Amino acid sequence: MLMLLFLLLLWGGRLQAQTILVSGAVEDSISHRPLSGVVVKVINDTANTVTNAFGLFKIAIPAAAARLLLTRNGYLSRQVAVQGNDRLLVTLSPIRMDTDPVALAKARSKMLHSSNPNYGNIGMGVHSFYNETYGATYENKYVRAAHHPFSTFAIDVARAAYRNVRRFLRLKLPVPVDAVRIEEMINYFHYDYPLPPRGNTVALYGHYITCPWESSHRLLEIAARARALDTDSLPSSNLVFLIDVSGSMGASNKLPLLQAAFRILVNNLRPADKVAIVAYAGEPGILLPATSGDQKEKILNAIDNLNAGGSTAGEAAIRMAYRIASEQFIPGGNNRVILATDGDFNVGLTSDEEMEQLITEEKESGVLLTCLGFGMKNYKDSKLQSLSSKGNGNFAYIDDLQEANKIFAREFGSTLFTVARDVQTEVWFNPKLVKSYRLIGYENRILPADSTGKNEYGGGIIGSGHCSVAIYEIIPAEEPPATDTLLARVKIAYRDPQDTVMKYVEGSIPASLQRFDRASDDCRFAAAVALFGMLLRKSVYCGNGNRSMVMELDRHALGAD
C-alpha cells in the first residue's frame, strides 16, 4: 500500500510538472490596441485557446518549455518560445495590403457621384465666364545684391499663358491678372540662338542692354538653348492619351477640338511608337490598350468615337494612366502621359494641393507629363499648371486648330521629347556693379538660393531644340568701380532624361553694356513681350512703358518672322 501511494504521488507530480499555465496579452504592433480573436496554439500539441475581448489568453503547455503559434486574419503569424509561468506581451504586425490605388479612387468617385449624379454635367446652371481658376501670383520685387547676390529659379518651358491671354484679347475681354505669366509669354516664341556644340546638351547666352521703359535701369537676358534631336533618331514613344470626356467637355471648343488636335499627333507617330487611350468621366476606362503607331486607323477610330457626359474623376484616371505607362515602359524611350482636359476635376481628389501630391508620387515612375488645356468658362488653369510643374512636365493651352498644329506638328520634337530635366538656373550678381535686381516673371518657379542641384527642389524640363529665356531688370550700382568687369555668373544644373547624375553648364556675363537699339532681334523682341506682360498685369514696374512702346519695339524686332 505504501509503495502504491508513492507511485501515485510520483505520477501526479510529473503530471503537474508537465502541464504548466502560460498567460499573456496580444496587441497590434502599430496601434498597440488589444487584439481579440487571436488563436494561440501550442506547436506539436493539441492545446489551443483564443484571446478575449481584451487581448488576454491563458494556455497550458505540456512541458517546462514550448513554442506557441499565434494567428489572426489580417495579421502576420508569429511563433514565440515560452517557459512555465511566463507572462507574455506579444505584438502582431498587420499585413500591408497592396491596395489597388485605381480601385480606391474609383470607389471614392462612385461614392461622391452617387450623392449627386448630375455633378459636373452640362446644364447645372449658367457658368459665368470668370468661373475659371488661376494660381495667385505676386510680382517679384527688387532684391539688393549686397544682401542676396544669388537668384535661383526652375527653368520653365510651359507656354500656355500666352495662348490663354490671346483668347481673352480676341474676345475683347479683360485679361485676369493672374492669367498672365510673363515667362510663358516670352517662351511662347521661337528664338534663333545657336544650338549647343555637338556633344553638349545646353548652350548658355547672355546679353546686358539698356532698358527702354526705364532709362536708368538695365536688362540682363539669359537664354538656354537645348540640343535638337535628329528627327530620324527620336527615341521610341510610349504614350498614354488621358482624355477628359466629362459633361463639361461637351462644348464645341473642347472635345471636338481635342479630337482634331490628337489626330494631328497620331499622324506623326511611327511604327516604333505605341499609344494607349484612357477616357474618363465618372470613372476611367481603357478605351484602347497599347497599340503600335502604324495602326493609325485603329487609334483614330477610338479618338473619333469619344463622347462627352458625366462627372470628372480625374484622380482615378491619372492613376490608371500612369499605371499603363509604367507597364509599357520603354527604357531610354519617351514615356509620357498626355492629359487633355479643361481641368475641372470634381470627383475624388480635387484640390490643387491634393492633385500636386498625387502627381509628385506618380512622377517617381519615370513617366513624364504633358498637360493640354481646352475651353473656357470653367477652365482650371491653376490645376493644370500645378500638375505639369510637379510632374516633370510641360503645359500648353489649345484654343484653335492652328495652335494644335503648332504644338503637334511644327513643334513636335520640343513638345514631346525631353533632352534635360530638373533644370535649374542660378545667377550670381556682382554687388559692386549691381545695386538691385528683379526677375521678370517666374514667380511660381523661384527656388531657395542654395538649392541648385539638390534633389528636394525640382526643376523644369527642356524639350528638343527649345530655347528658354529669362530677363532680369537691374538697378546698377551708383558708383561702380571701373576695374570690375564681371556683371554676373550663371550656372545651369540639369539631368539627362534617363540619368540621376546632375550636370552643370556655367558662364560669365561681362559688364559691357549694349544699347537697346543695337541688340539682336531676339533680345529686343523678348523685352517687348516682357513689357507687354507687365502692362497686362498692371505692373508698378512699367516705368514709361505703354502699348505704343510695345508696338514700336515689336515692329523693329520682327527679323525674318
Side-chain angles (χ1 to χ4, degrees):
M1 290 291 293
L2 289 172
M3 182 60 70
L4 180 60
L5 179 61
F6 174 76
L7 290 173
L8 287 172
L9 289 172
L10 180 62
W11 179 79
R14 285 180 178 172
L15 180 63
Q16 184 177 6
Q18 290 177 346
T19 55
I20 303 170
L21 290 178
V22 173
S23 60
V26 185
E27 66 179 21
D28 184 293
S29 65
I30 297 176
S31 66
H32 298 292
R33 293 179 178 177
L35 288 178
S36 61
V38 177
V39 176
V40 183
K41 182 181 183 301
V42 178
I43 294 177
N44 297 325
D45 195 85
T46 58
N48 66 84
T49 187
V50 179
T51 57
N52 63 17
F54 304 101
L56 302 176
F57 71 91
K58 186 178 291 185
I59 190 170
I61 62 175
R67 292 188 68 81
L68 300 181
L69 174 66
L70 292 86
T71 58
R72 186 181 190 274
N73 286 338
Y75 287 82
L76 296 174
S77 301
R78 183 175 177 185
Q79 293 186 22
V80 293
V82 295
Q83 294 182 342
N85 301 319
D86 274 354
R87 296 183 62 84
L88 304 174
L89 176 59
V90 183
T91 60
L92 294 186
S93 300
I95 297 174
R96 294 187 178 277
M97 301 296 290
D98 243 350
T99 308
D100 183 350
V102 175
L104 283 178
K106 282 186 175 182
R108 180 158 48 236
S109 299
K110 287 180 179 179
M111 179 184 68
L112 293 174
H113 190 239
S114 64
S115 64
N116 184 356
N118 290 315
Y119 202 38
N121 286 347
I122 290 177
M124 281 293 292
V126 177
H127 292 275
S128 69
F129 189 82
Y130 288 101
N131 186 27
E132 302 185 3
T133 62
Y134 296 93
T137 55
Y138 303 94
E139 275 197 297
N140 293 324
K141 297 180 172 57
Y142 281 102
V143 178
R144 292 187 66 85
H147 298 153
H148 302 283
F150 287 96
S151 171
T152 308
F153 62 95
I155 278 187
D156 197 329
V157 295
R159 291 165 281 184
Y162 179 83
R163 300 174 183 117
N164 193 32
V165 164
R166 183 179 62 190
R167 184 243 308 187
F168 283 93
L169 296 176
R170 282 176 170 173
L171 295 172
K172 303 187 187 306
L173 291 163
V175 179
V177 168
D178 289 326
V180 182
R181 294 186 292 275
I182 297 176
E183 73 280 2
E184 294 184 24
M185 297 181 64
I186 294 172
N187 288 308
Y188 176 82
F189 298 96
H190 174 77
Y191 299 98
D192 288 318
Y193 290 105
L195 293 167
R198 182 175 295 275
N200 293 1
T201 300
V202 180
L204 185 62
Y205 301 94
H207 300 278
Y208 186 44
I209 59 176
T210 57
C211 177
W213 56 84
E214 191 68 72
S215 59
S216 63
H217 291 184
R218 309 288 183 254
L219 297 180
L220 171 60
E221 180 186 290
I222 298 169
R225 182 73 191 270
R227 68 185 175 96
L229 298 173
D230 188 347
T231 305
D232 295 331
S233 60
L234 290 174
S236 300
S237 291
N238 161 37
L239 306 178
V240 179
F241 297 169
L242 178 53
I243 300 177
D244 182 354
V245 292
S246 63
S248 65
M249 291 292 291
S252 60
N253 63 347
K254 292 187 179 181
L255 186 57
L257 178 58
L258 181 157
Q259 290 168 306
F262 273 98
R263 290 186 70 90
I264 296 172
L265 173 55
V266 170
N267 286 327
N268 281 293
L269 296 177
R270 304 155 300 171
D273 302 326
K274 51 186 175 181
V275 171
I277 299 178
V278 174
Y280 67 97
E283 65 175 65
I286 300 175
L287 197 66
L288 182 75
T291 301
S292 172
D294 58 359
Q295 298 185 48
K296 289 183 172 53
E297 185 176 352
K298 184 176 181 181
I299 301 171
L300 292 173
N301 284 339
I303 293 172
D304 291 344
N305 287 324
L306 294 170
N307 291 293
S311 55
T312 316
E315 176 205 354
I318 289 171
R319 292 189 187 278
M320 178 178 287
Y322 270 93
R323 170 181 290 179
I324 294 171
S326 297
E327 291 172 350
Q328 299 293 326
F329 195 86
I330 301 175
N334 174 35
N335 300 280
R336 187 178 299 267
V337 171
I338 301 179
L339 169 62
T341 178
D342 58 10
D344 191 17
F345 305 144
N346 52 32
V347 177
L349 304 180
T350 59
S351 73
D352 291 1
E353 294 79 9
E354 289 173 325
M355 298 303 284
E356 282 181 13
Q357 183 177 357
L358 169 60
I359 290 296
T360 301
E361 294 170 2
E362 297 290 357
K363 81 169 184 178
E364 298 304 319
S365 64
V367 176
L368 303 179
L369 177 68
T370 292
C371 292
L372 302 177
F374 291 83
M376 58 184 67
K377 294 189 177 180
N378 57 349
Y379 171 58
K380 309 303 180 188
D381 178 273
S382 62
K383 193 172 269 79
L384 294 178
Q385 184 201 8
S386 65
L387 292 184
S388 64
S389 64
K390 296 295 181 181
N392 261 341
N394 48 11
F395 174 28
Y397 177 79
I398 298 179
D399 57 347
D400 58 27
L401 198 55
Q402 182 181 2
E403 194 62 45
N405 190 67
K406 179 177 185 290
I407 294 170
F408 287 143
R410 287 189 288 126
E411 297 178 355
F412 178 71
S414 62
T415 300
L416 292 184
F417 294 91
T418 298
V419 298
R421 65 182 178 91
D422 297 323
V423 188
Q424 303 172 3
T425 300
E426 179 185 85
V427 183
W428 172 83
F429 289 97
N430 185 351
K432 295 179 182 178
L433 300 181
V434 177
K435 179 180 180 181
S436 301
Y437 61 87
R438 187 180 82 86
L439 179 59
I440 300 177
Y442 289 94
E443 284 84 2
N444 55 7
R445 309 292 279 171
I446 299 294
L447 298 173
D450 60 347
S451 64
T452 307
K454 293 185 178 179
N455 290 332
E456 59 265 35
Y457 299 103
I461 64 171
I462 299 184
S464 170
H466 187 73
C467 186
S468 182
V469 175
I471 299 177
Y472 285 90
E473 187 170 348
I474 292 173
I475 301 176
E478 295 171 358
E479 297 181 1
T483 57
D484 213 325
T485 60
L486 177 63
L487 177 76
R489 287 195 297 265
V490 181
K491 180 168 69 175
I492 294 179
Y494 70 93
R495 291 184 175 90
D496 290 332
Q498 305 297 332
D499 200 353
T500 59
V501 177
M502 188 65 74
K503 298 181 179 180
Y504 300 92
V505 175
E506 300 185 42
S508 300
I509 310 294
S512 53
L513 183 66
Q514 187 178 28
R515 272 176 39 185
F516 184 85
D517 60 354
R518 294 186 177 179
S520 67
D521 290 340
D522 281 348
C523 190
R524 288 180 286 120
F525 187 86
V529 179
L531 175 58
F532 180 44
M534 288 192 289
L535 291 171
L536 290 173
R537 286 192 60 87
K538 301 177 175 59
S539 171
V540 298
Y541 301 110
C542 290
N544 297 317
N546 53 38
R547 287 177 292 176
S548 297
M549 180 180 289
V550 171
M551 295 296 290
E552 185 68 15
L553 296 179
D554 278 341
R555 187 175 295 113
H556 291 93
L558 285 177
D561 190 336

